Amino acid sequence: MRAVTLICGAVLIVCGFGLTGLALEAGQSKPKPPPPPKPPAKPPAASKPANQQAVKPVPADQLQKMLNMSPEDRQKTLAKLPPEQRKNVETRLNNLDKMTPEKREQQLDQTRRLESLPPARRKAVTEEMQTIAKLPQGAARRAIIQSPEFQKTFSPEEQQLIRERFPGAAK
């Protein structure tokens, strides 16, 4: 009797493993893997304090329109801008207002040409202009603009934009 019990128990164990294997193969009781972890959420751009948000540059065409507006219309347009951007635009407009019409048009043309560059090239040209502007006028600026590295780094159009910004250094 004891032998029969052992044989029945062994058969049940073997059958149990066989049924479990079949169920797993059929996907019936296979546990689902946990979902992959979600990437951390990016904080929304609006959560930055106002003083840390980048001030958007104003396209040359918009500056031209504002220059052509009456003082009242210009003030209405400026009032719609965020404070930092308004200050930036007012400064640019005041500087342009002080220029002769020829110089103003030249400045706006240079801005349009800079805006037409692809973003990465626009950034590179702008950074180079900022670097040169920090140098004393004369030999230091001239050395950069006439260097072989400058010639290799910037296209002829980009070089022209930079040279026009610093006419004394190009000679």
PDB file of all heavy atoms in Angstrom, residues 13 16 45 48 51 55-56 63 67 70 81 83 108 113-114 117 122 130 142 146 151-153 160 168:
ATOM      1  N   ILE A  13       2.995  14.548  -8.845  1.00  0.00           N
ATOM      2  CA  ILE A  13       4.053  15.557  -8.927  1.00  0.00           C
ATOM      3  C   ILE A  13       4.464  15.764 -10.373  1.00  0.00           C
ATOM      4  O   ILE A  13       4.556  16.890 -10.859  1.00  0.00           O
ATOM      5  CB  ILE A  13       5.258  15.158  -8.051  1.00  0.00           C
ATOM      6  CG1 ILE A  13       4.880  15.244  -6.574  1.00  0.00           C
ATOM      7  CG2 ILE A  13       6.468  16.040  -8.364  1.00  0.00           C
ATOM      8  CD1 ILE A  13       5.934  14.726  -5.636  1.00  0.00           C
ATOM      9  N   GLY A  16       1.672  17.413 -12.229  1.00  0.00           N
ATOM     10  CA  GLY A  16       1.581  18.813 -11.793  1.00  0.00           C
ATOM     11  C   GLY A  16       2.614  19.682 -12.489  1.00  0.00           C
ATOM     12  O   GLY A  16       2.315  20.768 -12.989  1.00  0.00           O
ATOM     13  N   ALA A  45       8.931  74.726 -18.925  1.00  0.00           N
ATOM     14  CA  ALA A  45       9.731  75.929 -19.126  1.00  0.00           C
ATOM     15  C   ALA A  45       9.193  77.096 -18.330  1.00  0.00           C
ATOM     16  O   ALA A  45       9.928  77.971 -17.906  1.00  0.00           O
ATOM     17  CB  ALA A  45       9.792  76.285 -20.606  1.00  0.00           C
ATOM     18  N   LYS A  48      10.575  78.301 -14.719  1.00  0.00           N
ATOM     19  CA  LYS A  48      11.772  79.092 -14.461  1.00  0.00           C
ATOM     20  C   LYS A  48      11.363  80.475 -13.993  1.00  0.00           C
ATOM     21  O   LYS A  48      10.375  81.029 -14.469  1.00  0.00           O
ATOM     22  CB  LYS A  48      12.607  79.248 -15.737  1.00  0.00           C
ATOM     23  CG  LYS A  48      13.268  78.000 -16.209  1.00  0.00           C
ATOM     24  CD  LYS A  48      14.089  78.313 -17.439  1.00  0.00           C
ATOM     25  CE  LYS A  48      14.770  77.090 -17.993  1.00  0.00           C
ATOM     26  NZ  LYS A  48      15.522  77.414 -19.200  1.00  0.00           N
ATOM     27  N   ASN A  51      13.403  86.062 -14.432  1.00  0.00           N
ATOM     28  CA  ASN A  51      14.718  86.646 -14.693  1.00  0.00           C
ATOM     29  C   ASN A  51      15.705  85.638 -15.278  1.00  0.00           C
ATOM     30  O   ASN A  51      16.774  86.017 -15.715  1.00  0.00           O
ATOM     31  CB  ASN A  51      15.287  87.271 -13.418  1.00  0.00           C
ATOM     32  CG  ASN A  51      15.493  86.264 -12.316  1.00  0.00           C
ATOM     33  OD1 ASN A  51      15.079  85.105 -12.424  1.00  0.00           O
ATOM     34  ND2 ASN A  51      16.109  86.688 -11.225  1.00  0.00           N
ATOM     35  N   VAL A  55      15.722  86.102 -23.141  1.00  0.00           N
ATOM     36  CA  VAL A  55      14.994  87.139 -23.837  1.00  0.00           C
ATOM     37  C   VAL A  55      15.095  86.837 -25.323  1.00  0.00           C
ATOM     38  O   VAL A  55      16.184  86.686 -25.859  1.00  0.00           O
ATOM     39  CB  VAL A  55      15.576  88.535 -23.511  1.00  0.00           C
ATOM     40  CG1 VAL A  55      14.870  89.611 -24.304  1.00  0.00           C
ATOM     41  CG2 VAL A  55      15.485  88.808 -22.024  1.00  0.00           C
ATOM     42  N   LYS A  56      13.956  86.713 -25.971  1.00  0.00           N
ATOM     43  CA  LYS A  56      13.935  86.368 -27.388  1.00  0.00           C
ATOM     44  C   LYS A  56      14.414  87.556 -28.214  1.00  0.00           C
ATOM     45  O   LYS A  56      13.999  88.690 -27.974  1.00  0.00           O
ATOM     46  CB  LYS A  56      12.526  85.988 -27.823  1.00  0.00           C
ATOM     47  CG  LYS A  56      11.991  84.752 -27.155  1.00  0.00           C
ATOM     48  CD  LYS A  56      10.573  84.472 -27.609  1.00  0.00           C
ATOM     49  CE  LYS A  56       9.994  83.289 -26.872  1.00  0.00           C
ATOM     50  NZ  LYS A  56       8.603  83.055 -27.235  1.00  0.00           N
ATOM     51  N   LEU A  63      11.612  95.061 -35.947  1.00  0.00           N
ATOM     52  CA  LEU A  63      12.225  96.325 -35.537  1.00  0.00           C
ATOM     53  C   LEU A  63      11.926  97.414 -36.557  1.00  0.00           C
ATOM     54  O   LEU A  63      11.605  98.551 -36.187  1.00  0.00           O
ATOM     55  CB  LEU A  63      13.745  96.152 -35.380  1.00  0.00           C
ATOM     56  CG  LEU A  63      14.221  95.375 -34.158  1.00  0.00           C
ATOM     57  CD1 LEU A  63      15.717  95.118 -34.252  1.00  0.00           C
ATOM     58  CD2 LEU A  63      13.900  96.132 -32.885  1.00  0.00           C
ATOM     59  N   LEU A  67      10.061 100.929 -35.905  1.00  0.00           N
ATOM     60  CA  LEU A  67      10.697 102.207 -36.221  1.00  0.00           C
ATOM     61  C   LEU A  67       9.779 103.087 -37.058  1.00  0.00           C
ATOM     62  O   LEU A  67       9.813 104.321 -36.929  1.00  0.00           O
ATOM     63  CB  LEU A  67      12.012 101.973 -36.977  1.00  0.00           C
ATOM     64  CG  LEU A  67      13.181 101.473 -36.158  1.00  0.00           C
ATOM     65  CD1 LEU A  67      14.306 101.003 -37.074  1.00  0.00           C
ATOM     66  CD2 LEU A  67      13.681 102.551 -35.214  1.00  0.00           C
ATOM     67  N   SER A  70       4.135 105.312 -35.261  1.00  0.00           N
ATOM     68  CA  SER A  70       4.050 106.559 -34.498  1.00  0.00           C
ATOM     69  C   SER A  70       4.472 106.241 -33.059  1.00  0.00           C
ATOM     70  O   SER A  70       4.397 105.083 -32.626  1.00  0.00           O
ATOM     71  CB  SER A  70       2.617 107.088 -34.521  1.00  0.00           C
ATOM     72  OG  SER A  70       1.772 106.219 -33.788  1.00  0.00           O
ATOM     73  N   LEU A  81       4.817  93.434 -24.557  1.00  0.00           N
ATOM     74  CA  LEU A  81       5.973  92.556 -24.375  1.00  0.00           C
ATOM     75  C   LEU A  81       6.272  92.332 -22.894  1.00  0.00           C
ATOM     76  O   LEU A  81       5.999  93.195 -22.057  1.00  0.00           O
ATOM     77  CB  LEU A  81       7.207  93.171 -25.044  1.00  0.00           C
ATOM     78  CG  LEU A  81       7.132  93.392 -26.553  1.00  0.00           C
ATOM     79  CD1 LEU A  81       8.382  94.134 -27.034  1.00  0.00           C
ATOM     80  CD2 LEU A  81       6.980  92.079 -27.287  1.00  0.00           C
ATOM     81  N   PRO A  83       8.531  92.395 -19.556  1.00  0.00           N
ATOM     82  CA  PRO A  83       9.419  93.499 -19.144  1.00  0.00           C
ATOM     83  C   PRO A  83      10.855  93.402 -19.657  1.00  0.00           C
ATOM     84  O   PRO A  83      11.401  94.382 -20.160  1.00  0.00           O
ATOM     85  CB  PRO A  83       9.385  93.449 -17.614  1.00  0.00           C
ATOM     86  CG  PRO A  83       8.125  92.732 -17.278  1.00  0.00           C
ATOM     87  CD  PRO A  83       7.828  91.811 -18.416  1.00  0.00           C
ATOM     88  N   LEU A 108      20.182  97.050 -39.915  1.00  0.00           N
ATOM     89  CA  LEU A 108      19.049  96.139 -40.080  1.00  0.00           C
ATOM     90  C   LEU A 108      19.363  95.067 -41.124  1.00  0.00           C
ATOM     91  O   LEU A 108      18.976  93.898 -40.962  1.00  0.00           O
ATOM     92  CB  LEU A 108      17.787  96.917 -40.458  1.00  0.00           C
ATOM     93  CG  LEU A 108      17.195  97.772 -39.335  1.00  0.00           C
ATOM     94  CD1 LEU A 108      16.104  98.691 -39.879  1.00  0.00           C
ATOM     95  CD2 LEU A 108      16.657  96.911 -38.208  1.00  0.00           C
ATOM     96  N   ARG A 113      20.690  89.385 -42.364  1.00  0.00           N
ATOM     97  CA  ARG A 113      21.612  88.368 -42.877  1.00  0.00           C
ATOM     98  C   ARG A 113      22.029  87.398 -41.778  1.00  0.00           C
ATOM     99  O   ARG A 113      22.161  86.195 -42.024  1.00  0.00           O
ATOM    100  CB  ARG A 113      22.831  89.042 -43.522  1.00  0.00           C
ATOM    101  CG  ARG A 113      22.436  89.748 -44.814  1.00  0.00           C
ATOM    102  CD  ARG A 113      23.578  90.340 -45.629  1.00  0.00           C
ATOM    103  NE  ARG A 113      24.891  90.300 -45.102  1.00  0.00           N
ATOM    104  CZ  ARG A 113      25.644  91.381 -44.858  1.00  0.00           C
ATOM    105  NH1 ARG A 113      25.194  92.589 -45.120  1.00  0.00           N
ATOM    106  NH2 ARG A 113      26.858  91.254 -44.386  1.00  0.00           N
ATOM    107  N   LEU A 114      22.232  87.900 -40.578  1.00  0.00           N
ATOM    108  CA  LEU A 114      22.566  87.037 -39.445  1.00  0.00           C
ATOM    109  C   LEU A 114      21.393  86.100 -39.146  1.00  0.00           C
ATOM    110  O   LEU A 114      21.579  84.903 -38.914  1.00  0.00           O
ATOM    111  CB  LEU A 114      22.919  87.874 -38.215  1.00  0.00           C
ATOM    112  CG  LEU A 114      23.357  87.117 -36.969  1.00  0.00           C
ATOM    113  CD1 LEU A 114      24.650  86.358 -37.217  1.00  0.00           C
ATOM    114  CD2 LEU A 114      23.524  88.073 -35.805  1.00  0.00           C
ATOM    115  N   LEU A 117      21.041  82.863 -41.265  1.00  0.00           N
ATOM    116  CA  LEU A 117      21.956  81.735 -41.063  1.00  0.00           C
ATOM    117  C   LEU A 117      21.257  80.623 -40.294  1.00  0.00           C
ATOM    118  O   LEU A 117      20.356  80.878 -39.493  1.00  0.00           O
ATOM    119  CB  LEU A 117      23.189  82.185 -40.274  1.00  0.00           C
ATOM    120  CG  LEU A 117      24.107  83.206 -40.929  1.00  0.00           C
ATOM    121  CD1 LEU A 117      25.202  83.627 -39.946  1.00  0.00           C
ATOM    122  CD2 LEU A 117      24.718  82.666 -42.205  1.00  0.00           C
ATOM    123  N   ARG A 122      24.486  80.784 -36.737  1.00  0.00           N
ATOM    124  CA  ARG A 122      24.132  82.087 -36.158  1.00  0.00           C
ATOM    125  C   ARG A 122      24.741  82.204 -34.759  1.00  0.00           C
ATOM    126  O   ARG A 122      25.319  83.235 -34.399  1.00  0.00           O
ATOM    127  CB  ARG A 122      22.615  82.235 -36.091  1.00  0.00           C
ATOM    128  CG  ARG A 122      22.146  83.578 -35.583  1.00  0.00           C
ATOM    129  CD  ARG A 122      20.631  83.694 -35.520  1.00  0.00           C
ATOM    130  NE  ARG A 122      19.965  82.941 -36.561  1.00  0.00           N
ATOM    131  CZ  ARG A 122      18.914  82.139 -36.348  1.00  0.00           C
ATOM    132  NH1 ARG A 122      18.405  82.003 -35.148  1.00  0.00           N
ATOM    133  NH2 ARG A 122      18.373  81.473 -37.337  1.00  0.00           N
ATOM    134  N   GLN A 130      30.795  88.580 -30.029  1.00  0.00           N
ATOM    135  CA  GLN A 130      30.872  88.938 -28.615  1.00  0.00           C
ATOM    136  C   GLN A 130      32.301  88.832 -28.092  1.00  0.00           C
ATOM    137  O   GLN A 130      32.754  89.670 -27.317  1.00  0.00           O
ATOM    138  CB  GLN A 130      29.927  88.058 -27.792  1.00  0.00           C
ATOM    139  CG  GLN A 130      28.464  88.342 -28.073  1.00  0.00           C
ATOM    140  CD  GLN A 130      27.524  87.318 -27.460  1.00  0.00           C
ATOM    141  OE1 GLN A 130      27.927  86.232 -27.033  1.00  0.00           O
ATOM    142  NE2 GLN A 130      26.241  87.651 -27.427  1.00  0.00           N
ATOM    143  N   ARG A 142      42.161  92.777 -34.958  1.00  0.00           N
ATOM    144  CA  ARG A 142      42.685  92.527 -36.297  1.00  0.00           C
ATOM    145  C   ARG A 142      43.343  91.150 -36.370  1.00  0.00           C
ATOM    146  O   ARG A 142      43.196  90.422 -37.338  1.00  0.00           O
ATOM    147  CB  ARG A 142      43.673  93.633 -36.678  1.00  0.00           C
ATOM    148  CG  ARG A 142      44.011  93.691 -38.141  1.00  0.00           C
ATOM    149  CD  ARG A 142      44.794  94.929 -38.559  1.00  0.00           C
ATOM    150  NE  ARG A 142      45.458  95.736 -37.551  1.00  0.00           N
ATOM    151  CZ  ARG A 142      44.927  96.852 -37.006  1.00  0.00           C
ATOM    152  NH1 ARG A 142      43.747  97.294 -37.377  1.00  0.00           N
ATOM    153  NH2 ARG A 142      45.590  97.529 -36.091  1.00  0.00           N
ATOM    154  N   GLN A 146      42.092  88.283 -39.019  1.00  0.00           N
ATOM    155  CA  GLN A 146      43.011  87.914 -40.089  1.00  0.00           C
ATOM    156  C   GLN A 146      43.681  86.554 -39.875  1.00  0.00           C
ATOM    157  O   GLN A 146      44.495  86.140 -40.690  1.00  0.00           O
ATOM    158  CB  GLN A 146      44.073  89.014 -40.247  1.00  0.00           C
ATOM    159  CG  GLN A 146      43.479  90.318 -40.728  1.00  0.00           C
ATOM    160  CD  GLN A 146      44.491  91.448 -40.798  1.00  0.00           C
ATOM    161  OE1 GLN A 146      45.631  91.312 -40.362  1.00  0.00           O
ATOM    162  NE2 GLN A 146      44.064  92.570 -41.355  1.00  0.00           N
ATOM    163  N   GLN A 151      39.609  82.136 -40.831  1.00  0.00           N
ATOM    164  CA  GLN A 151      39.318  81.843 -42.238  1.00  0.00           C
ATOM    165  C   GLN A 151      38.725  80.441 -42.393  1.00  0.00           C
ATOM    166  O   GLN A 151      37.835  80.229 -43.208  1.00  0.00           O
ATOM    167  CB  GLN A 151      40.586  81.950 -43.099  1.00  0.00           C
ATOM    168  CG  GLN A 151      41.364  83.240 -42.946  1.00  0.00           C
ATOM    169  CD  GLN A 151      40.603  84.466 -43.426  1.00  0.00           C
ATOM    170  OE1 GLN A 151      39.911  84.402 -44.412  1.00  0.00           O
ATOM    171  NE2 GLN A 151      40.742  85.567 -42.713  1.00  0.00           N
ATOM    172  N   LYS A 152      39.233  79.478 -41.608  1.00  0.00           N
ATOM    173  CA  LYS A 152      38.760  78.097 -41.705  1.00  0.00           C
ATOM    174  C   LYS A 152      37.412  77.910 -41.015  1.00  0.00           C
ATOM    175  O   LYS A 152      36.605  77.101 -41.457  1.00  0.00           O
ATOM    176  CB  LYS A 152      39.780  77.134 -41.090  1.00  0.00           C
ATOM    177  CG  LYS A 152      41.019  76.926 -41.932  1.00  0.00           C
ATOM    178  CD  LYS A 152      41.881  75.806 -41.386  1.00  0.00           C
ATOM    179  CE  LYS A 152      42.657  76.304 -40.189  1.00  0.00           C
ATOM    180  NZ  LYS A 152      43.609  75.324 -39.650  1.00  0.00           N
ATOM    181  N   THR A 153      37.197  78.631 -39.927  1.00  0.00           N
ATOM    182  CA  THR A 153      36.007  78.423 -39.109  1.00  0.00           C
ATOM    183  C   THR A 153      34.746  79.014 -39.731  1.00  0.00           C
ATOM    184  O   THR A 153      33.673  78.428 -39.615  1.00  0.00           O
ATOM    185  CB  THR A 153      36.217  79.033 -37.705  1.00  0.00           C
ATOM    186  OG1 THR A 153      37.395  78.470 -37.131  1.00  0.00           O
ATOM    187  CG2 THR A 153      35.036  78.760 -36.791  1.00  0.00           C
ATOM    188  N   GLN A 160      32.250  88.141 -43.624  1.00  0.00           N
ATOM    189  CA  GLN A 160      31.830  89.481 -44.021  1.00  0.00           C
ATOM    190  C   GLN A 160      30.955  90.124 -42.942  1.00  0.00           C
ATOM    191  O   GLN A 160      31.131  91.309 -42.619  1.00  0.00           O
ATOM    192  CB  GLN A 160      31.073  89.432 -45.360  1.00  0.00           C
ATOM    193  CG  GLN A 160      30.691  90.787 -45.900  1.00  0.00           C
ATOM    194  CD  GLN A 160      31.913  91.625 -46.253  1.00  0.00           C
ATOM    195  OE1 GLN A 160      32.952  91.103 -46.640  1.00  0.00           O
ATOM    196  NE2 GLN A 160      31.794  92.922 -46.100  1.00  0.00           N
ATOM    197  N   GLY A 168      37.098  98.673 -38.248  1.00  0.00           N
ATOM    198  CA  GLY A 168      38.484  99.066 -37.961  1.00  0.00           C
ATOM    199  C   GLY A 168      39.417  97.889 -37.864  1.00  0.00           C
ATOM    200  O   GLY A 168      40.620  98.014 -38.122  1.00  0.00           O
TER     201      GLY A 168
END
